[in-house]
Amino acid sequence: MTALTLSTSSAATARADAVVVGVAKGAKGPVPAAGAEAVDEAFGGKLAAVLETLGATGAEGEVTKLPAADGLKAPVVLAVGLGAAPAEDETYDNETLRRAAGSAARALNGTKKAAFALPLEDAEAAAAVSEGALLGAYAFTAFRSDGAAADAKKGAKGGNGASAPLAEVTLLGGKPRDKEFKAATERAQVLAAEIHRARDLINTPANALDPKSFAAEAQAAAKEFGLKVEVLDEKALKKGGYGGLLGVGQGSDAPPRLVRIAHTHAKATKTLALVGKGITYDSGGISLKPAGHNETMKCDMSGAAAVFAAVVAAARLGLEVNVTGWLALAENMPSGNATRPGDVLTMYSGKTVEVLNTDAEGRLVLADALTRASEEEPDAIIDVATLTGAMVLALGNRTFGIMANDDAFRTTIHEIAEEVGEQSWPMPMPAELRKGMDSSVADIANMGERMGGGLVAGLFLKEFIGEGITWAHLDIAGPAFHESAPYGYTHKGGTGSSVRTLLRLAERTASGDLG
């Protein structure tokens, strides 16, 4: 994990391998942002002119490296674009700072230390820059050959070109003795570490992460951070009647697991239950996915990874709220023992489900976990899942959908997501779509109308929520796994989508501030 420190040093005197400054997009070219004054002075007030000569415009996410001028301790200046400058009485929004810091950190892979002199108006801005820099400073090298992982730790490049993330970040103007700044950056370090935990799990190939090994990861974290953990193996699941988990997992040689991992606080008055879809690999089962759709299906456990990370983060921050995570873990494979289209499963709730499509498996494992979570009567349940391609078609690759049985709760989660920089959108639950899941042989089918498939999936899950319990469903199928070019603090691969939203929801629940 990249180290983070606060410093009152000037950008001119900071000892680092590079100093990072912000540049805004002005009407006549790039304009140095607040924090860059000392660097601009070292360039004789001509930093903007030099950057413009190099082709810089100040556009958001644009990165320009140049040799430092005399008078700067750091040998390299990295200017990162912030986009349009805010009005005179306004400041840069936190997500702009977060992405700028992330872009800079990514550009400094293989560097030992960088001093960030971005605009820091307050502790919130410091938190945003910290989060962005730490999330940008990420690399998944566990499976690199030729000693790349070992070399990366030294800031070198391995035989296959892998390089280590930026090793140390110093926030200039960060007020190290200010309680708010210190608390904000300490939180950022915990948050980034747990998002990295989620990213690592998502990026791990399925031959190295099955339900059993995922459960072992939860047990190890529980021991380290004082969490309560319970793992139901295939025998316990069969004894308990968890037909959804067993039905999905029966086609695989790696049997399913249901993990309960909980943070409790002696003074807590509220309890949140977080439920995550954990399909460690999704072939589609007998309803096999077409060619070209299997290669990234190690990411179908992103919901469980996010829930796991959020619970650990809540524990590490000592939040005065009980947060229970339920990880519904299974591998969906085709075999002679796999569930067939047309089979009927008896769920943990006692309801029967006709399986019309074995590739609609996430809702089956979630249904069992949602019923089990409901038995503890939490104040709210939030499930997180890479559930439907339909949601990606509706909202694209960067936005997750929010459905709920309470409009006010759905709005609150949407507002929280926007606050922490995660793109989301509230989605409806049209009652008329429920009829499409009527079955002639069972209580309900796992498929309904094709149009509005993401909404149909949410309506299915709603059937398994305990009476009177507030519930929301986050379909993160789009943003959970990024396949295009990196941007901001987002790398290719697992993103850790929704961890920030879940943690802020827990914090607001702890403080009694849910609106």
Side-chain angles (χ1 to χ4, degrees):
M1 183 68 187
T2 299
L4 176 71
T5 57
L6 298 170
S7 174
T8 56
S9 296
S10 161
T13 60
R15 295 185 179 276
D17 299 299
V19 60
V20 177
V21 296
V23 183
K25 187 174 184 178
K28 297 181 180 180
V31 179
E37 294 87 355
V39 174
D40 187 34
E41 184 178 344
F43 278 87
K46 295 181 179 181
L47 176 60
V50 173
L51 288 171
E52 189 170 19
T53 299
L54 294 173
T57 65
E60 187 173 334
E62 179 184 75
V63 171
T64 306
K65 286 184 181 180
L66 63 159
D70 291 340
L72 297 177
K73 293 292 185 182
V76 173
V77 173
L78 187 149
V80 60
L82 296 168
E88 188 174 338
D89 58 343
E90 297 178 353
T91 59
Y92 291 98
D93 67 79
N94 290 334
E95 182 61 8
T96 295
L97 295 175
R98 197 178 284 117
R99 291 189 182 185
S103 294
R106 284 193 301 102
L108 291 168
N109 269 6
T111 303
K112 185 176 180 181
K113 182 177 181 179
F116 281 64
L118 294 175
L120 292 186
E121 294 288 337
D122 51 28
E124 281 192 15
V129 173
S130 299
E131 289 173 18
L134 294 174
L135 293 176
Y138 173 79
F140 184 67
T141 59
F143 294 84
R144 295 287 189 180
S145 61
D146 301 327
D151 290 342
K153 291 179 181 178
K154 302 173 185 177
K157 288 192 174 181
N160 58 5
S163 61
L166 174 62
E168 185 177 346
V169 170
T170 298
L171 257 61
L172 303 181
K175 301 181 182 179
R177 296 184 180 181
D178 185 288
K179 290 183 179 180
E180 290 187 1
F181 273 78
K182 187 177 179 180
T185 51
E186 287 177 349
R187 177 191 181 277
Q189 291 177 82
V190 169
L191 175 61
E194 292 311 315
I195 290 177
H196 287 179
R197 181 194 300 276
R199 287 174 170 180
D200 285 349
L201 287 167
I202 297 164
N203 289 328
T204 299
N207 64 328
L209 186 73
D210 62 14
K212 182 178 179 180
S213 56
F214 196 139
E217 291 285 339
Q219 289 172 314
K223 183 177 181 180
E224 181 177 0
F225 298 109
L227 297 155
K228 296 179 180 178
V229 65
E230 176 186 7
V231 177
L232 299 185
D233 62 13
E234 64 271 32
K235 293 180 181 179
L237 292 172
K238 184 176 182 180
K239 183 178 180 180
Y242 292 85
L245 276 157
L246 290 167
V248 172
Q250 70 187 42
S252 173
D253 289 337
R257 296 286 187 271
L258 178 62
V259 176
R260 179 187 186 275
I261 184 166
H263 157 66
T264 58
H265 193 286
K267 296 182 179 180
T269 60
K270 297 287 185 179
T271 297
L272 293 177
L274 310 180
V275 179
K277 173 186 173 183
I279 304 298
T280 56
Y281 184 76
D282 182 19
S283 70
I286 297 297
S287 304
L288 195 67
K289 292 179 183 293
H293 289 75
N294 285 287
E295 290 77 6
T296 61
M297 283 299 102
K298 65 180 181 180
C299 79
D300 212 18
M301 37 58 68
S302 296
V307 164
F308 177 25
V311 173
V312 176
R316 292 180 64 176
L317 293 173
L319 299 187
E320 198 170 306
V321 59
N322 298 325
V323 185
T324 303
W326 298 90
L327 316 181
L329 308 175
E331 185 176 68
N332 187 25
M333 297 290 285
S335 74
N337 197 46
T339 294
R340 298 156 289 246
D343 283 359
V344 174
L345 304 177
T346 300
M347 313 299 282
Y348 178 71
S349 67
K351 288 185 179 180
T352 56
V353 177
E354 182 183 11
V355 180
L356 298 180
N357 187 327
T358 64
D359 196 23
E361 85 298 329
R363 64 200 71 183
L364 298 175
V365 300
L366 284 174
D368 277 353
L370 288 169
T371 301
R372 180 66 184 86
S374 294
E375 289 181 344
E376 296 188 356
E377 299 183 345
D379 294 283
I381 296 176
I382 304 91
D383 76 72
V384 187
T386 48
L387 205 60
T388 66
M391 197 63 72
V392 185
L393 289 173
L395 299 178
N397 290 315
R398 296 190 183 184
T399 304
F400 63 75
I402 308 170
M403 300 171 68
N405 61 2
D406 181 283
D407 289 348
F409 191 53
R410 181 186 63 188
T411 298
T412 293
I413 292 179
H414 174 53
E415 291 173 347
I416 287 174
E418 295 298 304
E419 175 191 340
V420 299
E422 295 197 303
Q423 294 175 217
S424 68
W425 197 251
M427 302 295 285
M429 299 190 73
E432 66 272 14
L433 291 178
R434 169 60 182 86
K435 184 172 178 56
M437 290 184 284
D438 286 348
S439 168
S440 60
V441 297
D443 296 329
I444 190 173
N446 78 327
M447 293 291 288
E449 295 182 27
R450 179 170 176 269
M451 300 302 175
L455 311 183
V456 170
L459 286 166
F460 179 90
L461 296 179
K462 184 182 177 184
E463 296 276 326
F464 297 89
I465 301 300
E467 186 176 352
I469 298 176
T470 300
W471 159 77
H473 159 59
L474 311 186
D475 190 335
I476 63 170
F481 196 84
H482 184 63
E483 297 185 67
S484 302
Y487 67 95
Y489 50 82
T490 300
H491 298 255
K492 292 191 72 170
T495 64
S497 175
S498 79
V499 175
R500 284 180 281 165
T501 297
L502 296 176
L503 181 60
R504 183 56 56 86
L505 175 64
E507 289 171 327
R508 288 184 55 174
T509 302
S511 66
D513 179 28
L514 276 180

